Amino acid sequence: MDILTKEQRKKNMQHIKAKDTKIEIILRKALWKKGYRYRKNYNKLLGKPDIVLPKYNIVIFCDGEFFHGKDWELLKNKLKKSNNGEFWIKKISRNRERDDEINKRLSFEGWTVLRFWGEDIKKHTDECVKIIEETIFDQNISD
């Protein structure tokens, strides 16, 4: 593992984007190709969902594995041994809590919330789109 200086780490962190990330673009292109129209980074909803399908009341979040704590127990153990681990454990724990709060609030407001991990979007885009389409289909049946 490479050890970065504070300046190198700062530069890396500054280049992490909050919107129009690679994983968002991959999923949006796949949806657009299938004929689905959406809003992106919709700031009228809590959490600014990455993709919103207003016609179907579906919000989609494209979550990065590190910042949203995929396999949290494993990641937490790694972070405990790392440089500045306490900071990251606290930050990611709060991100996970916030994700849960956002999911509950949006669901309460009548939205269906879908979350996809970045690696799943990159490696299994078609399966992610299929889950979205199944959600649309299930909603149409219940209406």
Side-chain angles (χ1 to χ4, degrees), residues 11-69:
K11 188 176 179 185
N12 286 351
M13 296 303 288
Q14 286 174 333
H15 284 87
I16 296 172
K17 300 195 292 185
K19 57 184 181 180
D20 294 331
T21 61
K22 188 177 201 171
I23 56 178
E24 289 175 38
I25 292 169
I26 290 169
L27 189 55
R28 289 195 319 236
K29 282 183 176 181
L31 288 170
W32 190 267
K33 191 175 175 183
K34 289 267 195 165
Y36 294 104
R37 300 303 175 247
Y38 51 81
R39 301 245 182 257
K40 60 182 195 163
N41 308 112
Y42 197 61
N43 63 6
K44 292 180 183 171
L45 290 175
L46 183 68
K48 287 190 210 166
D50 300 313
I51 302 169
V52 177
L53 299 167
K55 182 176 178 179
Y56 308 105
N57 267 29
I58 296 174
V59 297
I60 302 165
F61 292 92
C62 305
D63 293 338
E65 285 77 2
F66 179 75
F67 286 101
H68 293 271

Side-chain angles (χ1 to χ4, degrees), residues 98-114:
R98 188 180 311 107
D99 290 346
D100 286 342
E101 291 164 9
I102 289 168
N103 290 352
K104 288 174 186 162
R105 174 83 178 272
L106 290 173
S107 294
F108 178 76
E109 292 175 2
W111 293 91
T112 299
V113 180
L114 299 176

Side-chain angles (χ1 to χ4, degrees), residues 81-128:
K81 301 170 193 166
S82 75
N83 198 16
N84 212 10
E86 212 172 289
F87 167 82
W88 286 111
I89 289 170
K90 186 176 175 184
K91 179 166 182 53
I92 295 168
S93 292
R94 180 62 191 126
N95 288 351
R96 291 171 51 84
E97 288 171 14
R98 188 180 311 107
D99 290 346
D100 286 342
E101 291 164 9
I102 289 168
N103 290 352
K104 288 174 186 162
R105 174 83 178 272
L106 290 173
S107 294
F108 178 76
E109 292 175 2
W111 293 91
T112 299
V113 180
L114 299 176
R115 287 187 177 270
F116 295 102
W117 293 113
E119 286 301 311
D120 292 338
I121 293 170
K122 286 181 197 172
K123 294 178 181 172
H124 309 288
T125 310
D126 291 343
E127 289 177 31
C128 296

